[in-house]
Amino acid sequence: MTPAELYATLDATWPAATTHRAGPWLVRNGQGGGKRVSAVTVAAPWAADDIPLAESAQAPLGQPALFMLRDGDAALDAELERRGYAVVDPVTGYAMDLGAVEPAPPMSAFAHWPPLGIAEDLWAEGGIGPARLAVMHRVAGPKTAILGRQNDRASGVAFIAIHGETAMLHGLEVTPSQRRQGSANNILRCAAAWAQDQGAKRFSLVVTTGNDPARRLYASFGMRSVGEYHYRMK
């Protein structure tokens, strides 16, 4: 999976409410759904004098001046740093080919859509509220929620959607009292099996680079790093 494929899958499986062009920039209207759906990215060759255009395009949306810096954006990264933009949330993308997926134990996780109330409650517990749920509902392709169960109670939740032949997992949350007991791994297994049943060939996700426990989990699941990005905010 190339970085470009990672970014395209991210845009399709976690979409902004609207997008529009402002000169060389692609401007996203996230409607409160987080940085992924609210950041400006490069859409055409740019010059330093174009940066105020991106800033002014975000202000009417009630969004801060926020850029996503991806593979090939080193010159923009340096220019934004010169202008006082700080690095925020470096992110690493992971992916794996879907081969023989080891199934999750019976009753440990199941796919369903639309999300059950308990799934929404678990997301809310992790800081994923109505604006991010709206992002999930905007996805046009195949999608589902995964609800994990551990110790006879709901233990975790995730969202997964498919773009082309690639599935991407978002919003994995495990309730604190049920962590380090295998629930996250079971949710990953269930999500990968669902994706394969839908015809996906690859399984992917993105994670904050500083989240070492999550990165160890994804590496143990057989996933490898396939790309990076970060944000700069003024």
Side-chain angles (χ1 to χ4, degrees):
M1 187 176 192
T2 66
E5 290 169 334
L6 175 74
Y7 308 141
T9 303
L10 182 66
D11 280 342
T13 62
W14 197 255
T18 62
T19 61
H20 72 274
R21 284 286 297 271
W25 313 112
L26 181 67
V27 180
R28 294 171 177 81
N29 178 3
Q31 295 185 356
K35 289 187 288 296
R36 296 180 196 174
V37 291
S38 305
V40 166
T41 52
V42 175
W46 60 276
D49 290 345
D50 294 319
I51 290 176
L53 180 61
E55 295 169 339
S56 63
Q58 293 176 86
L61 302 176
Q63 298 176 176
L66 177 70
F67 289 80
M68 179 189 286
L69 287 307
R70 305 181 295 189
D71 188 54
D73 288 340
L76 176 59
D77 197 29
E79 177 62 24
L80 291 172
E81 182 177 29
R82 190 185 71 79
R83 291 170 179 250
Y85 279 75
V87 172
V88 182
D89 290 346
V91 172
T92 300
Y94 281 83
M96 63 183 287
D97 292 334
L98 284 171
V101 178
E102 182 180 356
M107 302 300 295
S108 66
F110 65 93
H112 67 288
W113 191 261
L116 294 171
I118 185 60
E120 295 186 351
D121 290 344
L122 288 166
W123 270 317
E125 187 179 81
I128 297 175
R132 285 174 169 82
L133 293 177
V135 176
M136 301 178 195
H137 284 278
R138 284 199 293 266
V139 174
K143 61 189 175 187
T144 196
I146 307 292
L147 182 68
R149 289 190 58 81
Q150 191 83 17
N151 301 319
D152 294 323
R153 59 158 291 184
S155 58
V157 65
F159 172 76
I160 184 170
I162 297 176
H163 172 63
E165 294 186 336
T166 303
M168 183 169 276
L169 188 85
H170 301 270
L172 174 60
E173 295 287 341
V174 176
T175 193
S177 64
Q178 300 290 322
R179 290 175 184 168
R180 294 179 294 278
Q181 298 182 53
S183 185
N185 189 273
N186 290 335
I187 289 171
L188 289 174
R189 288 192 204 177
C190 182
W194 174 86
Q196 196 166 40
D197 288 345
Q198 300 297 312
K201 305 298 184 185
R202 293 178 296 193
F203 182 62
S204 66
L205 52 82
V206 294
V207 60
T208 303
T209 303
N211 189 342
D212 290 334
R215 295 184 67 182
R216 287 194 294 270
L217 169 66
Y218 303 142
S220 71
F221 195 66
M223 306 184 82
R224 61 182 181 85
S225 174
V226 294
E228 298 177 340
Y229 63 89
H230 62 272
Y231 303 95
R232 280 194 183 268
M233 182 183 293
K234 197 164 188 178

